Amino acid sequence: VLLFFSYEQFKAWKIRLTFADDVPSQLLAPMKPWSDAETVLWGGISGALAAWLTTPFDVIKTRVMTATQALTFGDALRSVATTGATGLFAGAGARSAWWFCVSSVFFG
C-alpha cells in the first residue's frame, strides 16, 4: 500500500510542479507522460521509502519466526526495544536498496 501510495503522490507532485505557472484552461490539456528515467527513479524511491518504513515490522516478524520457543509479538517487540531504534531498523539500508531495484524494474 505504501509503495503505490508514494508512487502516486510523486506523480501528483510532478503534475503540480509541471503546471504551477499555467493558467487553469491549460490544466485540462493532455499531460506529457514521465520519461523512462523518471519512472525508474520515482518507482525506485517509492520502493525504498516503503521498505524503510516497514522495516520495524519485518524485524519483529523475523524475530517471532526464528525464535526457538514460543514468542508473542509483544515479547519480540520488547526484545527489539532494548536495542532502541537501531534494533528496529536493523538492515533497513540493505532492504531499501533491494526494494529500490525491485520497484525500479516493476514501475519501469
Side-chain angles (χ1 to χ4, degrees):
V1 173
L2 287 174
L3 174 68
F4 295 111
F5 176 76
S6 61
Y7 184 72
E8 291 299 322
Q9 290 305 308
F10 287 135
K11 281 176 43 178
W13 175 71
K14 161 77 174 184
I15 292 169
R16 285 193 304 272
L17 284 180
T18 303
F19 296 110
D21 297 327
D22 291 346
V23 294
S25 63
Q26 290 176 325
L27 291 177
L28 299 177
M31 186 185 84
K32 285 179 26 181
W34 277 0
S35 68
D36 291 341
E38 286 176 314
T39 302
V40 168
L41 175 70
W42 291 112
I45 291 173
S46 296
L49 179 65
W52 183 272
L53 293 174
T54 58
T55 295
F57 299 108
D58 193 51
V59 167
I60 293 169
K61 175 199 62 113
T62 302
R63 291 277 177 109
V64 170
M65 291 176 65
T66 59
T68 56
Q69 57 187 2
L71 188 67
T72 65
F73 183 81
D75 293 336
L77 183 59
R78 279 188 288 282
S79 73
V80 173
T82 60
T83 59
T86 57
L88 284 175
F89 284 94
R95 189 167 182 258
S96 295
W98 168 256
W99 277 103
F100 179 90
C101 297
V102 169
S103 298
S104 293
V105 171
F106 178 77
F107 286 110

